[in-house]
């Protein structure tokens, strides 16, 4: 009996040794994202706005290049940006509008994926639940976080095993935003505007 009890106690300590704190989970997630940054990232973003409804877009990011496609205010839209030029395609009008990007703002603008970085620096984090596949982490804005634009709370879901971020949701000024379905592997062709793909479209160049 004593041997059995000793084995159970030893097993319990072993399990505790492998337990993950929310800080460790987030740190590992950030490390994994950094390792895949050069591969490019694909993600879906849902933005729920009172009265107007939900806008859902899929974003492809590779370096400075970004492509976004989805439905905004009931209209389908596709956009490309490379930090210098913006292209906007309206399928309904079959029209492409080209504008010059504000390079200063483009350089200062942080990508959507940066919301997954530095979470523990401005938030108190705790595990609110878990399954055999994911950890659910509640992120509450720290008292010393003076950034007015930071949401008061965020809900982060991280996959066990891979430490890939599954989703991140937050509510700001009545608007609920959820980033989900993150994956890696983006090609240059996926984020580069090619006029040959729209031979019949009307082009309005505003540069």
């Amino acid at each position: 009996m004593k041997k059995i009890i000793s084995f159970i106690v030893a097993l319990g300590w072993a399990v505790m040794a492998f337990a993950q704190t929310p800080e460790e989970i987030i740190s590992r997630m950030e490390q994994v994202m950094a390792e895949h940054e050069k591969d490019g990232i694909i993600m879906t973003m849902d933005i729920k706005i009172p009265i107007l409804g939900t806008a859902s877009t899929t974003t492809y990011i590779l370096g400075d290049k970004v492509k976004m496609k989805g439905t905004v205010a009931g209209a389908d839209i596709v956009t490309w940006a490379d930090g210098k030029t913006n292209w906007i395609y309206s399928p309904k009008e079959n029209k492409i509008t080209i504008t010059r990007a504000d390079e200063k703002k483009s350089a200062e603008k942080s990508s959507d994926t940066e919301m997954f970085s530095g979470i523990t620096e401005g938030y108190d984090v705790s595990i609110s639940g878990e399954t055999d596949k994911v950890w659910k982490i509640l992120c509450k804005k720290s008292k010393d976080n003076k950034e007015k634009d930071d949401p008061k709370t965020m809900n982060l879901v991280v996959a066990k095993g891979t430490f890939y971020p599954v989703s991140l949701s937050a509510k700001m000024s009545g608007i609920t935003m959820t980033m989900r379905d993150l994956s890696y592997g983006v090609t240059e062709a996926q984020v580069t505007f090619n006029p040959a793909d729209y031979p019949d479209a009307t082009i309005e160049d505003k540069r």
Side-chain angles (χ1 to χ4, degrees):
M1 179 63 71
K2 289 183 178 180
K3 288 184 178 180
I4 294 176
I5 294 174
S6 298
F7 173 76
I8 293 173
V9 171
L11 181 61
W13 280 109
V15 171
M16 290 179 64
F18 282 100
Q20 299 280 342
T21 67
E23 290 83 3
E24 289 171 339
I25 294 168
I26 292 172
S27 176
R28 183 70 179 113
M29 179 198 73
E30 292 174 341
Q31 181 182 342
V32 169
M33 292 188 73
E35 291 171 353
H36 286 282
E37 185 176 0
K38 63 181 184 300
D39 300 323
I41 190 169
I42 306 169
M43 59 181 284
T44 297
M45 180 182 292
D46 300 322
I47 301 178
K48 187 176 181 180
I49 305 173
I51 302 177
L52 297 179
T54 301
S56 184
T57 62
T58 300
T59 303
Y60 302 78
I61 304 171
L62 183 63
D64 294 330
K65 293 185 176 181
V66 179
K67 177 184 177 181
M68 183 185 73
K69 62 178 182 179
T71 303
V72 179
D76 292 334
I77 192 171
V78 186
T79 68
W80 297 259
D82 63 5
K84 295 182 179 180
T85 306
N86 300 324
W87 296 263
I88 303 174
Y89 174 60
S90 170
K92 183 178 181 179
E93 300 176 358
N94 194 25
K95 178 181 178 182
I96 295 168
T97 303
I98 306 174
T99 61
R100 188 186 303 277
D102 186 323
E103 294 186 39
K104 183 178 180 180
K105 288 185 179 180
S106 296
E108 293 176 350
K109 184 181 178 182
S110 59
S111 69
D112 296 323
T113 57
E114 287 189 7
M115 284 193 68
F116 289 93
S117 301
I119 292 176
T120 54
E121 296 174 6
Y123 288 84
D124 299 320
V125 297
S126 61
I127 295 178
S128 58
E130 64 178 289
T131 68
D132 59 336
K133 294 183 178 180
V134 302
W135 289 288
K136 299 177 182 180
I137 300 175
L138 176 63
C139 311
K140 290 186 176 182
K141 190 175 181 180
S142 304
K143 291 183 179 180
D144 57 355
N145 185 346
K146 304 303 180 183
E147 293 293 333
K148 294 181 180 180
D149 295 332
D150 284 355
K152 291 183 179 179
T153 61
M154 298 190 295
N155 292 286
L156 173 66
V157 180
V158 181
K160 292 182 177 179
T162 63
F163 288 90
Y164 282 5
V166 175
S167 67
L168 177 64
S169 59
K171 190 173 183 179
M172 298 172 288
S173 302
I175 298 174
T176 302
M177 178 180 65
T178 300
M179 289 177 280
R180 58 180 174 85
D181 299 338
L182 283 83
S183 61
Y184 301 97
V186 178
T187 65
E188 279 286 337
Q190 287 179 297
V191 292
T192 302
F193 172 71
N194 183 3
D197 293 335
Y198 306 90
D200 301 323
T202 301
I203 297 178
E204 183 179 6
D205 195 335
K206 295 185 176 181
R207 289 176 293 180

